[in-house]
mmCIF file of all heavy atoms in Angstrom:
data_model
loop_
_atom_site.group_PDB
_atom_site.id
_atom_site.type_symbol
_atom_site.label_atom_id
_atom_site.label_comp_id
_atom_site.label_asym_id
_atom_site.label_seq_id
_atom_site.Cartn_x
_atom_site.Cartn_y
_atom_site.Cartn_z
ATOM 1 N N SER A 12 26.213 8.121 22.218
ATOM 2 C CA SER A 12 26.046 8.620 23.582
ATOM 3 C C SER A 12 26.548 7.579 24.574
ATOM 4 O O SER A 12 26.507 6.378 24.311
ATOM 5 C CB SER A 12 24.576 8.924 23.866
ATOM 6 O OG SER A 12 24.140 9.991 23.066
ATOM 7 N N SER A 13 27.020 8.065 25.719
ATOM 8 C CA SER A 13 27.583 7.165 26.716
ATOM 9 C C SER A 13 27.403 7.778 28.098
ATOM 10 O O SER A 13 26.773 8.825 28.258
ATOM 11 C CB SER A 13 29.068 6.953 26.440
ATOM 12 O OG SER A 13 29.765 8.181 26.610
ATOM 13 N N ARG A 14 27.994 7.137 29.087
ATOM 14 C CA ARG A 14 27.990 7.708 30.438
ATOM 15 C C ARG A 14 28.723 9.050 30.446
ATOM 16 O O ARG A 14 28.398 9.934 31.206
ATOM 17 C CB ARG A 14 28.642 6.746 31.423
ATOM 18 C CG ARG A 14 27.822 5.512 31.691
ATOM 19 C CD ARG A 14 28.540 4.638 32.713
ATOM 20 N NE ARG A 14 27.906 3.353 32.813
ATOM 21 C CZ ARG A 14 27.014 3.050 33.750
ATOM 22 N NH1 ARG A 14 26.686 3.945 34.641
ATOM 23 N NH2 ARG A 14 26.475 1.855 33.789
ATOM 24 N N GLY A 15 29.701 9.183 29.570
ATOM 25 C CA GLY A 15 30.421 10.449 29.445
ATOM 26 C C GLY A 15 29.499 11.572 28.978
ATOM 27 O O GLY A 15 29.611 12.711 29.431
ATOM 28 N N THR A 16 28.587 11.244 28.076
ATOM 29 C CA THR A 16 27.595 12.221 27.615
ATOM 30 C C THR A 16 26.714 12.657 28.773
ATOM 31 O O THR A 16 26.461 13.847 28.963
ATOM 32 C CB THR A 16 26.709 11.621 26.501
ATOM 33 O OG1 THR A 16 27.533 11.068 25.492
ATOM 34 C CG2 THR A 16 25.800 12.667 25.900
ATOM 35 N N ASP A 17 26.255 11.678 29.558
ATOM 36 C CA ASP A 17 25.426 11.984 30.731
ATOM 37 C C ASP A 17 26.189 12.872 31.706
ATOM 38 O O ASP A 17 25.642 13.836 32.241
ATOM 39 C CB ASP A 17 24.987 10.700 31.436
ATOM 40 C CG ASP A 17 24.091 9.836 30.576
ATOM 41 O OD1 ASP A 17 23.551 10.356 29.572
ATOM 42 O OD2 ASP A 17 23.933 8.647 30.911
ATOM 43 N N ALA A 18 27.463 12.561 31.934
ATOM 44 C CA ALA A 18 28.289 13.351 32.856
ATOM 45 C C ALA A 18 28.465 14.770 32.323
ATOM 46 O O ALA A 18 28.426 15.735 33.096
ATOM 47 C CB ALA A 18 29.640 12.678 33.063
ATOM 48 N N PHE A 19 28.657 14.893 31.006
ATOM 49 C CA PHE A 19 28.810 16.231 30.422
ATOM 50 C C PHE A 19 27.536 17.056 30.594
ATOM 51 O O PHE A 19 27.592 18.226 30.970
ATOM 52 C CB PHE A 19 29.174 16.146 28.933
ATOM 53 C CG PHE A 19 29.207 17.500 28.297
ATOM 54 C CD1 PHE A 19 30.309 18.318 28.456
ATOM 55 C CD2 PHE A 19 28.125 17.978 27.591
ATOM 56 C CE1 PHE A 19 30.337 19.590 27.909
ATOM 57 C CE2 PHE A 19 28.139 19.241 27.031
ATOM 58 C CZ PHE A 19 29.248 20.046 27.194
ATOM 59 N N ILE A 20 26.385 16.445 30.315
ATOM 60 C CA ILE A 20 25.113 17.167 30.451
ATOM 61 C C ILE A 20 24.903 17.583 31.905
ATOM 62 O O ILE A 20 24.489 18.714 32.176
ATOM 63 C CB ILE A 20 23.938 16.315 29.924
ATOM 64 C CG1 ILE A 20 24.066 16.143 28.411
ATOM 65 C CG2 ILE A 20 22.600 16.945 30.277
ATOM 66 C CD1 ILE A 20 23.115 15.126 27.819
ATOM 67 N N HIS A 21 25.208 16.697 32.829
ATOM 68 C CA HIS A 21 25.083 17.027 34.259
ATOM 69 C C HIS A 21 25.994 18.195 34.619
ATOM 70 O O HIS A 21 25.583 19.137 35.300
ATOM 71 C CB HIS A 21 25.410 15.794 35.109
ATOM 72 C CG HIS A 21 25.249 16.037 36.562
ATOM 73 N ND1 HIS A 21 26.303 16.392 37.377
ATOM 74 C CD2 HIS A 21 24.149 15.996 37.355
ATOM 75 C CE1 HIS A 21 25.859 16.551 38.604
ATOM 76 N NE2 HIS A 21 24.554 16.324 38.624
ATOM 77 N N MET A 22 27.257 18.156 34.159
ATOM 78 C CA MET A 22 28.196 19.244 34.421
ATOM 79 C C MET A 22 27.684 20.555 33.820
ATOM 80 O O MET A 22 27.748 21.605 34.457
ATOM 81 C CB MET A 22 29.570 18.889 33.841
ATOM 82 C CG MET A 22 30.636 19.974 34.019
ATOM 83 S SD MET A 22 30.646 21.361 32.840
ATOM 84 C CE MET A 22 30.715 20.540 31.276
ATOM 85 N N ALA A 23 27.150 20.496 32.596
ATOM 86 C CA ALA A 23 26.665 21.705 31.927
ATOM 87 C C ALA A 23 25.495 22.326 32.693
ATOM 88 O O ALA A 23 25.440 23.542 32.896
ATOM 89 C CB ALA A 23 26.249 21.392 30.492
ATOM 90 N N ILE A 24 24.570 21.486 33.148
ATOM 91 C CA ILE A 24 23.413 22.001 33.897
ATOM 92 C C ILE A 24 23.847 22.588 35.234
ATOM 93 O O ILE A 24 23.358 23.647 35.646
ATOM 94 C CB ILE A 24 22.355 20.894 34.067
ATOM 95 C CG1 ILE A 24 21.736 20.564 32.705
ATOM 96 C CG2 ILE A 24 21.281 21.305 35.057
ATOM 97 C CD1 ILE A 24 20.864 19.340 32.688
ATOM 98 N N GLU A 25 24.783 21.922 35.913
ATOM 99 C CA GLU A 25 25.287 22.451 37.185
ATOM 100 C C GLU A 25 26.014 23.781 36.969
ATOM 101 O O GLU A 25 25.842 24.720 37.744
ATOM 102 C CB GLU A 25 26.217 21.450 37.866
ATOM 103 C CG GLU A 25 25.496 20.287 38.485
ATOM 104 C CD GLU A 25 24.512 20.734 39.559
ATOM 105 O OE1 GLU A 25 24.884 21.552 40.419
ATOM 106 O OE2 GLU A 25 23.352 20.274 39.520
ATOM 107 N N ARG A 26 26.811 23.871 35.921
ATOM 108 C CA ARG A 26 27.526 25.123 35.629
ATOM 109 C C ARG A 26 26.539 26.230 35.274
ATOM 110 O O ARG A 26 26.707 27.377 35.682
ATOM 111 C CB ARG A 26 28.509 24.888 34.493
ATOM 112 C CG ARG A 26 29.391 26.062 34.212
ATOM 113 C CD ARG A 26 30.829 25.649 34.100
ATOM 114 N NE ARG A 26 31.629 26.780 33.716
ATOM 115 C CZ ARG A 26 32.535 26.764 32.756
ATOM 116 N NH1 ARG A 26 32.789 25.648 32.110
ATOM 117 N NH2 ARG A 26 33.204 27.829 32.456
ATOM 118 N N TRP A 27 25.489 25.887 34.540
ATOM 119 C CA TRP A 27 24.429 26.831 34.168
ATOM 120 C C TRP A 27 23.806 27.396 35.437
ATOM 121 O O TRP A 27 23.638 28.596 35.584
ATOM 122 C CB TRP A 27 23.395 26.099 33.336
ATOM 123 C CG TRP A 27 22.467 26.922 32.511
ATOM 124 C CD1 TRP A 27 22.280 28.278 32.550
ATOM 125 C CD2 TRP A 27 21.569 26.435 31.510
ATOM 126 N NE1 TRP A 27 21.322 28.651 31.633
ATOM 127 C CE2 TRP A 27 20.888 27.543 30.988
ATOM 128 C CE3 TRP A 27 21.288 25.176 31.018
ATOM 129 C CZ2 TRP A 27 19.919 27.407 29.985
ATOM 130 C CZ3 TRP A 27 20.336 25.051 30.012
ATOM 131 C CH2 TRP A 27 19.669 26.160 29.505
ATOM 132 N N ARG A 28 23.470 26.503 36.355
ATOM 133 C CA ARG A 28 22.853 26.912 37.618
ATOM 134 C C ARG A 28 23.797 27.817 38.422
ATOM 135 O O ARG A 28 23.384 28.840 38.962
ATOM 136 C CB ARG A 28 22.483 25.662 38.423
ATOM 137 C CG ARG A 28 21.540 25.932 39.548
ATOM 138 C CD ARG A 28 21.071 24.648 40.208
ATOM 139 N NE ARG A 28 20.223 23.887 39.286
ATOM 140 C CZ ARG A 28 20.327 22.580 39.072
ATOM 141 N NH1 ARG A 28 21.210 21.863 39.707
ATOM 142 N NH2 ARG A 28 19.525 21.980 38.227
ATOM 143 N N GLN A 29 25.079 27.464 38.475
ATOM 144 C CA GLN A 29 26.062 28.266 39.216
ATOM 145 C C GLN A 29 26.217 29.663 38.617
ATOM 146 O O GLN A 29 26.267 30.658 39.349
ATOM 147 C CB GLN A 29 27.420 27.567 39.228
ATOM 148 C CG GLN A 29 27.461 26.320 40.067
ATOM 149 C CD GLN A 29 28.751 25.541 39.864
ATOM 150 O OE1 GLN A 29 29.573 25.879 39.002
ATOM 151 N NE2 GLN A 29 28.916 24.477 40.640
ATOM 152 N N ILE A 30 26.296 29.742 37.302
ATOM 153 C CA ILE A 30 26.452 31.046 36.632
ATOM 154 C C ILE A 30 25.228 31.914 36.902
ATOM 155 O O ILE A 30 25.351 33.103 37.215
ATOM 156 C CB ILE A 30 26.692 30.865 35.124
ATOM 157 C CG1 ILE A 30 28.054 30.218 34.876
ATOM 158 C CG2 ILE A 30 26.588 32.205 34.394
ATOM 159 C CD1 ILE A 30 28.285 29.786 33.435
ATOM 160 N N GLU A 31 24.035 31.328 36.790
ATOM 161 C CA GLU A 31 22.810 32.096 37.041
ATOM 162 C C GLU A 31 22.737 32.568 38.493
ATOM 163 O O GLU A 31 22.335 33.699 38.758
ATOM 164 C CB GLU A 31 21.583 31.260 36.690
ATOM 165 C CG GLU A 31 21.375 31.106 35.209
ATOM 166 C CD GLU A 31 20.126 30.329 34.839
ATOM 167 O OE1 GLU A 31 19.623 29.537 35.674
ATOM 168 O OE2 GLU A 31 19.635 30.533 33.718
ATOM 169 N N GLU A 32 23.127 31.733 39.435
ATOM 170 C CA GLU A 32 23.100 32.132 40.838
ATOM 171 C C GLU A 32 24.126 33.214 41.119
ATOM 172 O O GLU A 32 23.869 34.149 41.874
ATOM 173 C CB GLU A 32 23.340 30.920 41.741
ATOM 174 C CG GLU A 32 22.154 29.989 41.817
ATOM 175 C CD GLU A 32 22.441 28.738 42.636
ATOM 176 O OE1 GLU A 32 23.544 28.618 43.216
ATOM 177 O OE2 GLU A 32 21.548 27.873 42.688
ATOM 178 N N THR A 33 25.293 33.119 40.509
ATOM 179 C CA THR A 33 26.335 34.127 40.703
ATOM 180 C C THR A 33 25.913 35.480 40.143
ATOM 181 O O THR A 33 26.071 36.514 40.798
ATOM 182 C CB THR A 33 27.648 33.682 40.024
ATOM 183 O OG1 THR A 33 28.056 32.441 40.596
ATOM 184 C CG2 THR A 33 28.739 34.718 40.212
ATOM 185 N N LEU A 34 25.352 35.484 38.935
ATOM 186 C CA LEU A 34 24.963 36.731 38.277
ATOM 187 C C LEU A 34 23.567 37.201 38.668
ATOM 188 O O LEU A 34 23.209 38.346 38.405
ATOM 189 C CB LEU A 34 25.042 36.564 36.758
ATOM 190 C CG LEU A 34 26.425 36.234 36.190
ATOM 191 C CD1 LEU A 34 26.334 35.993 34.699
ATOM 192 C CD2 LEU A 34 27.411 37.347 36.508
ATOM 193 N N ASN A 35 22.766 36.299 39.221
ATOM 194 C CA ASN A 35 21.391 36.589 39.613
ATOM 195 C C ASN A 35 20.524 37.013 38.421
ATOM 196 O O ASN A 35 19.669 37.883 38.537
ATOM 197 C CB ASN A 35 21.342 37.627 40.736
ATOM 198 C CG ASN A 35 20.048 37.563 41.499
ATOM 199 O OD1 ASN A 35 19.407 36.522 41.570
ATOM 200 N ND2 ASN A 35 19.651 38.678 42.076
ATOM 201 N N ILE A 36 20.786 36.404 37.275
ATOM 202 C CA ILE A 36 19.982 36.611 36.068
ATOM 203 C C ILE A 36 19.857 35.279 35.339
ATOM 204 O O ILE A 36 20.639 34.361 35.560
ATOM 205 C CB ILE A 36 20.589 37.657 35.102
ATOM 206 C CG1 ILE A 36 21.989 37.230 34.647
ATOM 207 C CG2 ILE A 36 20.603 39.037 35.718
ATOM 208 C CD1 ILE A 36 22.571 38.092 33.543
ATOM 209 N N GLU A 37 18.851 35.171 34.448
ATOM 210 C CA GLU A 37 18.707 33.982 33.620
ATOM 211 C C GLU A 37 19.711 34.049 32.473
ATOM 212 O O GLU A 37 19.906 35.106 31.867
ATOM 213 C CB GLU A 37 17.300 33.897 33.033
ATOM 214 C CG GLU A 37 16.252 33.555 34.040
ATOM 215 C CD GLU A 37 14.860 33.462 33.423
ATOM 216 O OE1 GLU A 37 14.671 33.852 32.247
ATOM 217 O OE2 GLU A 37 13.956 33.005 34.133
ATOM 218 N N ILE A 38 20.332 32.923 32.198
ATOM 219 C CA ILE A 38 21.274 32.828 31.089
ATOM 220 C C ILE A 38 20.624 31.973 30.000
ATOM 221 O O ILE A 38 20.159 30.871 30.265
ATOM 222 C CB ILE A 38 22.604 32.175 31.545
ATOM 223 C CG1 ILE A 38 23.264 32.989 32.659
ATOM 224 C CG2 ILE A 38 23.552 31.984 30.378
ATOM 225 C CD1 ILE A 38 23.702 34.376 32.248
ATOM 226 N N ASP A 39 20.619 32.476 28.789
ATOM 227 C CA ASP A 39 20.042 31.765 27.656
ATOM 228 C C ASP A 39 20.897 30.545 27.317
ATOM 229 O O ASP A 39 22.120 30.552 27.516
ATOM 230 C CB ASP A 39 19.969 32.708 26.457
ATOM 231 C CG ASP A 39 19.242 32.094 25.292
ATOM 232 O OD1 ASP A 39 18.079 31.688 25.472
ATOM 233 O OD2 ASP A 39 19.842 32.013 24.202
ATOM 234 N N ALA A 40 20.280 29.507 26.799
ATOM 235 C CA ALA A 40 20.996 28.281 26.429
ATOM 236 C C ALA A 40 22.073 28.558 25.384
ATOM 237 O O ALA A 40 23.137 27.936 25.402
ATOM 238 C CB ALA A 40 20.011 27.242 25.909
ATOM 239 N N LYS A 41 21.832 29.508 24.485
ATOM 240 C CA LYS A 41 22.830 29.851 23.470
ATOM 241 C C LYS A 41 24.076 30.452 24.107
ATOM 242 O O LYS A 41 25.197 30.177 23.684
ATOM 243 C CB LYS A 41 22.246 30.832 22.456
ATOM 244 C CG LYS A 41 21.177 30.230 21.586
ATOM 245 C CD LYS A 41 20.574 31.265 20.668
ATOM 246 C CE LYS A 41 19.426 30.658 19.896
ATOM 247 N NZ LYS A 41 18.753 31.639 19.062
ATOM 248 N N VAL A 42 23.876 31.277 25.123
ATOM 249 C CA VAL A 42 25.002 31.899 25.818
ATOM 250 C C VAL A 42 25.814 30.838 26.552
ATOM 251 O O VAL A 42 27.041 30.820 26.489
ATOM 252 C CB VAL A 42 24.515 32.998 26.793
ATOM 253 C CG1 VAL A 42 25.659 33.535 27.628
ATOM 254 C CG2 VAL A 42 23.817 34.110 26.028
ATOM 255 N N LEU A 43 25.119 29.934 27.241
ATOM 256 C CA LEU A 43 25.824 28.867 27.951
ATOM 257 C C LEU A 43 26.574 27.977 26.969
ATOM 258 O O LEU A 43 27.721 27.605 27.225
ATOM 259 C CB LEU A 43 24.858 28.029 28.781
ATOM 260 C CG LEU A 43 25.562 26.902 29.540
ATOM 261 C CD1 LEU A 43 26.386 27.462 30.694
ATOM 262 C CD2 LEU A 43 24.580 25.883 30.038
ATOM 263 N N ALA A 44 25.955 27.648 25.842
ATOM 264 C CA ALA A 44 26.626 26.814 24.840
ATOM 265 C C ALA A 44 27.898 27.497 24.352
ATOM 266 O O ALA A 44 28.935 26.841 24.175
ATOM 267 C CB ALA A 44 25.691 26.529 23.674
ATOM 268 N N TYR A 45 27.851 28.802 24.173
ATOM 269 C CA TYR A 45 29.048 29.537 23.746
ATOM 270 C C TYR A 45 30.122 29.497 24.831
ATOM 271 O O TYR A 45 31.294 29.248 24.551
ATOM 272 C CB TYR A 45 28.712 30.985 23.385
ATOM 273 C CG TYR A 45 29.946 31.761 22.997
ATOM 274 C CD1 TYR A 45 30.524 31.583 21.751
ATOM 275 C CD2 TYR A 45 30.545 32.637 23.895
ATOM 276 C CE1 TYR A 45 31.679 32.265 21.404
ATOM 277 C CE2 TYR A 45 31.693 33.325 23.554
ATOM 278 C CZ TYR A 45 32.256 33.130 22.306
ATOM 279 O OH TYR A 45 33.400 33.802 21.964
ATOM 280 N N ILE A 46 29.724 29.740 26.074
ATOM 281 C CA ILE A 46 30.681 29.715 27.186
ATOM 282 C C ILE A 46 31.372 28.355 27.266
ATOM 283 O O ILE A 46 32.595 28.266 27.369
ATOM 284 C CB ILE A 46 29.978 30.053 28.520
ATOM 285 C CG1 ILE A 46 29.552 31.512 28.535
ATOM 286 C CG2 ILE A 46 30.882 29.743 29.710
ATOM 287 C CD1 ILE A 46 28.618 31.864 29.690
ATOM 288 N N LEU A 47 30.578 27.288 27.216
ATOM 289 C CA LEU A 47 31.144 25.947 27.321
ATOM 290 C C LEU A 47 31.975 25.578 26.102
ATOM 291 O O LEU A 47 32.976 24.871 26.210
ATOM 292 C CB LEU A 47 30.034 24.921 27.539
ATOM 293 C CG LEU A 47 29.263 25.029 28.852
ATOM 294 C CD1 LEU A 47 28.136 24.005 28.893
ATOM 295 C CD2 LEU A 47 30.171 24.883 30.060
ATOM 296 N N SER A 48 31.576 26.058 24.925
ATOM 297 C CA SER A 48 32.310 25.707 23.705
ATOM 298 C C SER A 48 33.677 26.370 23.641
ATOM 299 O O SER A 48 34.573 25.868 22.964
ATOM 300 C CB SER A 48 31.501 26.071 22.459
ATOM 301 O OG SER A 48 31.435 27.470 22.288
ATOM 302 N N THR A 49 33.853 27.483 24.341
ATOM 303 C CA THR A 49 35.148 28.163 24.335
ATOM 304 C C THR A 49 36.050 27.710 25.472
ATOM 305 O O THR A 49 37.212 28.096 25.516
ATOM 306 C CB THR A 49 34.963 29.696 24.423
ATOM 307 O OG1 THR A 49 34.252 30.015 25.622
ATOM 308 C CG2 THR A 49 34.225 30.224 23.219
ATOM 309 N N ASP A 50 35.531 26.884 26.381
ATOM 310 C CA ASP A 50 36.319 26.378 27.507
ATOM 311 C C ASP A 50 37.147 25.184 27.035
ATOM 312 O O ASP A 50 36.613 24.109 26.792
ATOM 313 C CB ASP A 50 35.387 25.973 28.657
ATOM 314 C CG ASP A 50 36.133 25.624 29.922
ATOM 315 O OD1 ASP A 50 37.367 25.390 29.851
ATOM 316 O OD2 ASP A 50 35.487 25.574 30.984
ATOM 317 N N GLN A 51 38.442 25.383 26.901
ATOM 318 C CA GLN A 51 39.320 24.331 26.390
ATOM 319 C C GLN A 51 39.540 23.203 27.402
ATOM 320 O O GLN A 51 40.053 22.142 27.052
ATOM 321 C CB GLN A 51 40.669 24.931 25.975
ATOM 322 C CG GLN A 51 40.557 25.934 24.856
ATOM 323 C CD GLN A 51 39.913 25.352 23.608
ATOM 324 O OE1 GLN A 51 40.197 24.224 23.211
ATOM 325 N NE2 GLN A 51 39.032 26.114 22.981
#
């Protein structure tokens, strides 16, 4: 783990929050993990 790991987790949480606010629904962690894993 490194500062890069911290930055990734911060980015993931911010993206999670943005997606939920845009859709106005809760997104499961599994769904977010899939979304992020397919983002090249």
